[in-house]
Short mmCIF file of all heavy atoms in Angstrom, two decimals:
data_model
loop_
_atom_site.label_atom_id
_atom_site.label_comp_id
_atom_site.label_asym_id
_atom_site.label_seq_id
_atom_site.Cartn_x
_atom_site.Cartn_y
_atom_site.Cartn_z
N ARG A 179 -28.51 -23.32 16.22
CA ARG A 179 -28.93 -22.00 16.73
C ARG A 179 -29.73 -21.25 15.67
O ARG A 179 -30.75 -20.61 15.99
CB ARG A 179 -27.69 -21.18 17.13
CG ARG A 179 -26.98 -21.68 18.37
CD ARG A 179 -25.99 -20.64 18.90
NE ARG A 179 -24.93 -20.35 17.96
CZ ARG A 179 -23.78 -21.02 17.90
NH1 ARG A 179 -23.55 -22.04 18.72
NH2 ARG A 179 -22.84 -20.66 17.03
N GLY A 180 -29.27 -21.32 14.44
CA GLY A 180 -30.01 -20.65 13.37
C GLY A 180 -31.41 -21.21 13.21
O GLY A 180 -32.38 -20.45 13.00
N MET A 181 -31.54 -22.53 13.31
CA MET A 181 -32.85 -23.16 13.17
C MET A 181 -33.76 -22.82 14.35
O MET A 181 -34.97 -22.58 14.18
CB MET A 181 -32.68 -24.67 13.02
CG MET A 181 -31.93 -25.08 11.75
SD MET A 181 -31.62 -26.86 11.62
CE MET A 181 -33.19 -27.43 11.02
N LYS A 182 -33.18 -22.76 15.54
CA LYS A 182 -33.98 -22.40 16.72
C LYS A 182 -34.48 -20.96 16.62
O LYS A 182 -35.61 -20.65 17.05
CB LYS A 182 -33.15 -22.61 17.99
CG LYS A 182 -32.96 -24.07 18.36
CD LYS A 182 -32.07 -24.24 19.58
CE LYS A 182 -31.86 -25.72 19.91
NZ LYS A 182 -30.93 -25.90 21.05
N ARG A 183 -33.66 -20.09 16.10
CA ARG A 183 -34.08 -18.70 15.89
C ARG A 183 -35.24 -18.63 14.90
O ARG A 183 -36.18 -17.83 15.07
CB ARG A 183 -32.91 -17.86 15.40
CG ARG A 183 -31.86 -17.57 16.47
CD ARG A 183 -30.59 -17.00 15.88
NE ARG A 183 -30.82 -15.76 15.13
CZ ARG A 183 -29.92 -15.18 14.35
NH1 ARG A 183 -28.72 -15.74 14.18
NH2 ARG A 183 -30.22 -14.06 13.71
N ARG A 184 -35.19 -19.46 13.89
CA ARG A 184 -36.30 -19.50 12.92
C ARG A 184 -37.58 -19.99 13.60
O ARG A 184 -38.66 -19.42 13.42
CB ARG A 184 -35.95 -20.43 11.75
CG ARG A 184 -34.90 -19.87 10.81
CD ARG A 184 -34.58 -20.84 9.68
NE ARG A 184 -35.75 -21.18 8.90
CZ ARG A 184 -36.30 -20.41 7.96
NH1 ARG A 184 -35.76 -19.23 7.69
NH2 ARG A 184 -37.36 -20.81 7.28
N THR A 185 -37.44 -21.06 14.38
CA THR A 185 -38.61 -21.61 15.08
C THR A 185 -39.23 -20.58 16.01
O THR A 185 -40.46 -20.44 16.10
CB THR A 185 -38.20 -22.86 15.87
OG1 THR A 185 -37.67 -23.85 14.97
CG2 THR A 185 -39.40 -23.46 16.61
N ALA A 186 -38.37 -19.82 16.69
CA ALA A 186 -38.86 -18.79 17.62
C ALA A 186 -39.65 -17.71 16.91
O ALA A 186 -40.51 -17.06 17.53
CB ALA A 186 -37.67 -18.18 18.37
N GLN A 187 -39.40 -17.52 15.63
CA GLN A 187 -40.13 -16.52 14.85
C GLN A 187 -41.25 -17.14 14.03
O GLN A 187 -41.82 -16.49 13.15
CB GLN A 187 -39.16 -15.76 13.94
CG GLN A 187 -38.18 -14.89 14.71
CD GLN A 187 -37.56 -13.79 13.86
OE1 GLN A 187 -37.94 -13.59 12.70
NE2 GLN A 187 -36.63 -13.06 14.43
N GLY A 188 -41.55 -18.40 14.31
CA GLY A 188 -42.65 -19.07 13.62
C GLY A 188 -42.33 -19.52 12.21
O GLY A 188 -43.24 -19.77 11.42
N LEU A 189 -41.03 -19.64 11.89
CA LEU A 189 -40.62 -20.07 10.56
C LEU A 189 -40.32 -21.55 10.54
O LEU A 189 -39.83 -22.12 11.52
CB LEU A 189 -39.37 -19.28 10.13
CG LEU A 189 -39.52 -17.76 10.08
CD1 LEU A 189 -38.17 -17.09 9.85
CD2 LEU A 189 -40.52 -17.37 8.98
N SER A 190 -40.58 -22.20 9.42
CA SER A 190 -40.38 -23.64 9.30
C SER A 190 -38.95 -23.97 8.87
O SER A 190 -38.34 -23.24 8.08
CB SER A 190 -41.36 -24.22 8.27
OG SER A 190 -41.08 -25.59 8.02
N ASN A 191 -38.45 -25.08 9.37
CA ASN A 191 -37.14 -25.60 8.96
C ASN A 191 -37.28 -26.82 8.05
O ASN A 191 -36.28 -27.48 7.74
CB ASN A 191 -36.32 -26.00 10.19
CG ASN A 191 -35.98 -24.80 11.05
OD1 ASN A 191 -35.57 -23.76 10.56
ND2 ASN A 191 -36.16 -24.94 12.37
N ALA A 192 -38.50 -27.12 7.63
CA ALA A 192 -38.77 -28.36 6.90
C ALA A 192 -38.00 -28.46 5.59
O ALA A 192 -37.68 -29.57 5.15
CB ALA A 192 -40.27 -28.49 6.64
N ASP A 193 -37.72 -27.34 4.96
CA ASP A 193 -37.06 -27.38 3.65
C ASP A 193 -35.54 -27.23 3.73
O ASP A 193 -34.86 -27.18 2.69
CB ASP A 193 -37.62 -26.27 2.75
CG ASP A 193 -39.06 -26.54 2.36
OD1 ASP A 193 -39.46 -27.72 2.32
OD2 ASP A 193 -39.80 -25.56 2.09
N LEU A 194 -35.00 -27.17 4.94
CA LEU A 194 -33.56 -27.00 5.09
C LEU A 194 -32.85 -28.35 5.04
O LEU A 194 -33.39 -29.38 5.47
CB LEU A 194 -33.24 -26.30 6.41
CG LEU A 194 -33.71 -24.85 6.54
CD1 LEU A 194 -33.29 -24.28 7.89
CD2 LEU A 194 -33.15 -23.99 5.41
N ASN A 195 -31.61 -28.33 4.54
CA ASN A 195 -30.81 -29.54 4.41
C ASN A 195 -29.39 -29.27 4.88
O ASN A 195 -28.45 -29.20 4.09
CB ASN A 195 -30.80 -30.02 2.95
CG ASN A 195 -29.96 -31.27 2.77
OD1 ASN A 195 -30.11 -32.23 3.53
ND2 ASN A 195 -29.09 -31.28 1.77
N PRO A 196 -29.18 -29.08 6.17
CA PRO A 196 -27.83 -28.77 6.67
C PRO A 196 -26.89 -29.96 6.58
O PRO A 196 -27.26 -31.10 6.89
CB PRO A 196 -28.08 -28.37 8.12
CG PRO A 196 -29.34 -29.08 8.51
CD PRO A 196 -30.18 -29.13 7.27
N VAL A 197 -25.65 -29.70 6.15
CA VAL A 197 -24.65 -30.74 5.92
C VAL A 197 -23.30 -30.27 6.42
O VAL A 197 -23.00 -29.07 6.39
CB VAL A 197 -24.57 -31.08 4.41
CG1 VAL A 197 -23.45 -32.06 4.12
CG2 VAL A 197 -25.90 -31.63 3.89
N CYS A 198 -22.47 -31.19 6.87
CA CYS A 198 -21.09 -30.87 7.26
C CYS A 198 -20.15 -31.79 6.48
O CYS A 198 -20.20 -33.02 6.64
CB CYS A 198 -20.88 -31.06 8.76
SG CYS A 198 -19.18 -30.74 9.29
N ALA A 199 -19.30 -31.20 5.64
CA ALA A 199 -18.36 -31.97 4.82
C ALA A 199 -17.03 -32.12 5.54
O ALA A 199 -16.40 -31.13 5.91
CB ALA A 199 -18.16 -31.27 3.48
N VAL A 200 -16.59 -33.36 5.72
CA VAL A 200 -15.29 -33.65 6.31
C VAL A 200 -14.35 -34.04 5.17
O VAL A 200 -14.64 -34.99 4.42
CB VAL A 200 -15.39 -34.78 7.35
CG1 VAL A 200 -14.01 -35.06 7.97
CG2 VAL A 200 -16.40 -34.42 8.44
N LEU A 201 -13.24 -33.33 5.03
CA LEU A 201 -12.34 -33.52 3.88
C LEU A 201 -11.31 -34.59 4.21
O LEU A 201 -10.32 -34.33 4.92
CB LEU A 201 -11.66 -32.19 3.52
CG LEU A 201 -12.51 -31.21 2.67
CD1 LEU A 201 -13.84 -30.89 3.28
CD2 LEU A 201 -11.72 -29.93 2.41
N LEU A 202 -11.53 -35.78 3.69
CA LEU A 202 -10.73 -36.94 4.07
C LEU A 202 -9.33 -36.91 3.48
O LEU A 202 -8.33 -37.03 4.19
CB LEU A 202 -11.45 -38.22 3.63
CG LEU A 202 -12.89 -38.38 4.11
CD1 LEU A 202 -13.50 -39.62 3.47
CD2 LEU A 202 -12.95 -38.48 5.61
N GLY A 203 -9.24 -36.80 2.16
CA GLY A 203 -7.94 -36.89 1.49
C GLY A 203 -6.99 -35.79 1.89
O GLY A 203 -5.78 -36.01 2.04
N MET A 204 -7.52 -34.58 2.05
CA MET A 204 -6.66 -33.46 2.43
C MET A 204 -6.13 -33.63 3.85
O MET A 204 -5.02 -33.20 4.16
CB MET A 204 -7.40 -32.14 2.27
CG MET A 204 -7.58 -31.74 0.82
SD MET A 204 -8.36 -30.13 0.65
CE MET A 204 -8.12 -29.84 -1.11
N GLN A 205 -6.92 -34.27 4.70
CA GLN A 205 -6.44 -34.59 6.05
C GLN A 205 -5.23 -35.52 5.95
O GLN A 205 -4.21 -35.32 6.63
CB GLN A 205 -7.56 -35.28 6.83
CG GLN A 205 -7.25 -35.62 8.26
CD GLN A 205 -7.30 -34.42 9.17
OE1 GLN A 205 -6.26 -33.89 9.54
NE2 GLN A 205 -8.50 -33.97 9.51
N GLU A 206 -5.34 -36.51 5.11
CA GLU A 206 -4.27 -37.48 4.94
C GLU A 206 -3.01 -36.82 4.36
O GLU A 206 -1.89 -37.07 4.83
CB GLU A 206 -4.76 -38.61 4.03
CG GLU A 206 -3.83 -39.79 3.92
CD GLU A 206 -4.48 -40.95 3.18
OE1 GLU A 206 -5.70 -41.15 3.33
OE2 GLU A 206 -3.75 -41.66 2.46
N ASP A 207 -3.20 -35.99 3.33
CA ASP A 207 -2.06 -35.29 2.73
C ASP A 207 -1.33 -34.45 3.77
O ASP A 207 -0.10 -34.42 3.82
CB ASP A 207 -2.54 -34.39 1.59
CG ASP A 207 -3.17 -35.17 0.44
OD1 ASP A 207 -2.96 -36.39 0.36
OD2 ASP A 207 -3.89 -34.54 -0.36
N TRP A 208 -2.11 -33.74 4.58
CA TRP A 208 -1.55 -32.86 5.60
C TRP A 208 -0.73 -33.64 6.62
O TRP A 208 0.41 -33.27 6.95
CB TRP A 208 -2.68 -32.09 6.27
CG TRP A 208 -2.49 -31.72 7.71
CD1 TRP A 208 -3.23 -32.16 8.76
CD2 TRP A 208 -1.53 -30.82 8.28
NE1 TRP A 208 -2.80 -31.60 9.94
CE2 TRP A 208 -1.75 -30.77 9.67
CE3 TRP A 208 -0.50 -30.04 7.74
CZ2 TRP A 208 -0.99 -30.00 10.54
CZ3 TRP A 208 0.27 -29.27 8.60
CH2 TRP A 208 0.02 -29.25 9.98
N LEU A 209 -1.27 -34.73 7.13
CA LEU A 209 -0.57 -35.48 8.18
C LEU A 209 0.69 -36.16 7.66
O LEU A 209 1.69 -36.27 8.38
CB LEU A 209 -1.51 -36.49 8.83
CG LEU A 209 -2.59 -35.88 9.73
CD1 LEU A 209 -3.53 -36.95 10.27
CD2 LEU A 209 -1.97 -35.10 10.89
N LYS A 210 0.66 -36.60 6.42
CA LYS A 210 1.88 -37.16 5.83
C LYS A 210 2.96 -36.09 5.75
O LYS A 210 4.13 -36.34 6.08
CB LYS A 210 1.57 -37.71 4.43
CG LYS A 210 0.81 -39.02 4.43
CD LYS A 210 0.52 -39.48 3.00
CE LYS A 210 -0.21 -40.82 2.99
NZ LYS A 210 -0.55 -41.24 1.61
N SER A 211 2.58 -34.90 5.32
CA SER A 211 3.55 -33.80 5.22
C SER A 211 4.06 -33.40 6.60
O SER A 211 5.25 -33.12 6.79
CB SER A 211 2.92 -32.59 4.53
OG SER A 211 2.55 -32.91 3.21
N TYR A 212 3.15 -33.38 7.57
CA TYR A 212 3.52 -33.02 8.93
C TYR A 212 4.54 -34.02 9.49
O TYR A 212 5.57 -33.62 10.05
CB TYR A 212 2.27 -33.01 9.82
CG TYR A 212 2.55 -32.74 11.28
CD1 TYR A 212 2.64 -31.45 11.76
CD2 TYR A 212 2.74 -33.80 12.17
CE1 TYR A 212 2.91 -31.20 13.11
CE2 TYR A 212 3.00 -33.57 13.51
CZ TYR A 212 3.09 -32.27 13.98
OH TYR A 212 3.36 -32.05 15.29
#
Side-chain angles (χ1 to χ4, degrees):
R179 290 194 297 271
M181 296 176 80
K182 287 177 181 177
R183 287 168 59 191
R184 288 179 58 78
T185 300
Q187 293 201 5
L189 301 172
S190 173
N191 295 315
D193 292 333
L194 294 181
N195 179 48
V197 174
C198 178
V200 181
L201 279 54
L202 306 174
M204 287 184 169
Q205 183 76 257
E206 189 171 325
D207 297 343
W208 148 244
L209 288 177
K210 286 179 178 177
S211 298
Y212 176 86

